[in-house]
Amino acid sequence: MNINRITDHIKEHQLNLVNHKIYDNIKTIDDLKIFMENHVFAVWDFMSLLKGLQVNLTCTTNPWTPVDNTEAARFINEIVLEEETDEVKENNITSHFELYLESMHEIGADTSEIEQFIVDIKNSPDYRETIDNYDIHKNLKSFMNFTFDVIESGEVHKIAAAFTFGRENVIPDMFIEIVKGLNKENSSIADMFVFYLERHIELDGDDHGPIALRMIENLCGDDEKNGKM
């Protein structure tokens, strides 16, 4: 497949995300608190998208059996290693979701809603019903439901496309804009959040983004239907 054809086709949409006015509106710590208290749900559902790929591309059940595509399995396992178990400091292993929560605590953002949501998701026999019934903005519900629609499709090239073009391939530029939007005073107060952003800029820009693109090429191969997503 021609990966450049796809990236050219979605370039305008990705630029709209990078140039969104929201970044200029994050000027104070109170602004940042509101942003993070909502954005954290997208951070959580990113992890579900990640695990959706791992479930489809690797063997995650016993007894173990060899997978059909070891190269794609290697790609996703490399990304999972750092997203789910990153060594952010010496002997400090954490997921990026938990690092985000730590960043929220640092600036005094309210984590009670997302923490209760995680508890309810764990205990729910129907996580989609939990999302639909939860007292959060309808746009958050719509965003997460779209993610799980893609995951539940079971079409691994579509899951990989949502992961790559909707997250890994565009997040570095988006996060750079957030860092720019924080003035010097606010960025010093939100040291952990800035570290979180810069860690993603580093990993997604240098490693995860390119790996995800290679994974897309691997999964689609010469199949024009899959290549059109």
Side-chain angles (χ1 to χ4, degrees), residues 72-149:
R74 171 61 182 260
F75 290 153
I76 195 59
N77 279 336
E78 282 188 44
I79 297 174
V80 168
L81 175 66
E82 288 170 326
E83 294 288 353
E84 192 173 34
T85 56
D86 196 9
E87 186 171 12
V88 295
K89 296 176 184 176
E90 188 174 0
N91 298 322
N92 182 9
I93 309 298
T94 186
S95 70
H96 286 179
F97 173 77
E98 291 163 300
L99 182 61
Y100 197 95
L101 288 181
E102 189 177 343
S103 304
M104 292 178 70
H105 289 145
E106 180 186 53
I107 65 167
D110 184 4
T111 61
S112 61
E113 192 169 55
I114 183 64
E115 289 173 337
Q116 185 59 50
F117 175 78
I118 296 298
V119 171
D120 291 344
I121 285 289
K122 276 185 177 180
N123 297 325
S124 174
D126 186 343
Y127 67 88
R128 296 294 286 262
E129 184 177 334
T130 300
I131 292 172
D132 289 337
N133 292 336
Y134 220 72
D135 186 21
I136 51 178
H137 196 282
K138 63 180 182 180
N139 289 349
L140 291 175
K141 296 180 184 183
S142 176
F143 185 88
M144 290 189 286
N145 276 321
F146 174 79
T147 296
F148 285 106
D149 284 344

Side-chain angles (χ1 to χ4, degrees), residues 20-37:
H20 199 282
K21 63 183 180 181
I22 192 172
Y23 311 120
D24 292 331
N25 291 331
I26 305 174
K27 292 180 167 47
T28 69
I29 288 299
D30 285 339
D31 295 335
L32 185 58
K33 288 178 183 178
I34 293 170
F35 173 81
M36 295 183 77
E37 286 164 7

